Amino acid sequence: MMNKLVLFIFVAFGLASITLTSCTKDQVAAAVGTVYDNRDSVVGTFNGTLVTTISGSAQTSNKAVTVSKGSSGKLTITVSSDLIINTDIALGTKSNLTGSILQQDLTYNGSSASLIGKGVVGQHFFFTSSNN
């Protein structure tokens, strides 16, 4: 009888411990926090200058540039409605972001062309901000 009473006390204590330390899904979510996507620092619409060089002659025009999140860590850069550039994965922190522009076919003003980032892979574009 004494063994059953001791066993009952241990089982009751164990259930009480589990009940007191259990968390709801909301409590777990609040404790974990939010994961920041570094691309959020560059998403938006900006004023930019498009420089088109034809036969060594540069032509400039002011354009709205929209940067949005692409799939799988990539960015999509849209210049007005004329040009859409897809980047490779953007790496870095929310105040320093770099990436590559891989070779892709695009159409600009009715003409088809092949586009690829110039320079060192991983540094075709670079975003930095001291204000985050």
Side-chain angles (χ1 to χ4, degrees):
M1 179 71 171
M2 184 67 158
N3 287 342
K4 288 183 181 180
L5 181 60
V6 171
L7 181 60
F8 175 75
I9 291 172
F10 279 122
V11 170
F13 180 73
L15 287 174
S17 296
I18 290 172
T19 304
L20 293 175
T21 59
S22 296
C23 298
T24 66
K25 286 195 292 185
D26 292 335
Q27 289 170 323
V28 171
V32 170
T34 304
V35 176
Y36 184 82
D37 185 342
N38 293 331
R39 297 173 299 158
D40 288 338
S41 59
V42 297
V43 170
T45 301
F46 309 92
N47 294 321
T49 303
L50 179 65
V51 180
T52 307
T53 304
I54 301 172
S55 300
S57 177
Q59 301 172 5
T60 62
S61 58
N62 294 324
K63 299 281 185 174
V65 177
T66 303
V67 180
S68 57
K69 291 184 195 179
S71 63
S72 303
K74 299 177 183 182
L75 291 170
T76 301
I77 302 169
T78 305
V79 181
S80 293
S81 59
D82 303 328
L83 183 63
I84 298 174
I85 302 168
N86 296 299
T87 73
D88 195 12
I89 297 172
L91 300 172
T93 65
K94 65 181 180 177
S95 60
N96 295 295
L97 202 63
T98 62
S100 301
I101 298 174
L102 303 177
Q103 185 168 348
Q104 56 200 281
D105 296 326
L106 52 88
T107 302
Y108 177 67
N109 285 341
S111 298
S112 297
S114 183
L115 171 78
I116 190 167
K118 183 177 180 182
V120 178
V121 173
Q123 296 178 5
H124 292 160
F125 66 87
F126 183 73
F127 167 79
T128 185
S129 172
S130 58
N131 298 325
N132 291 333

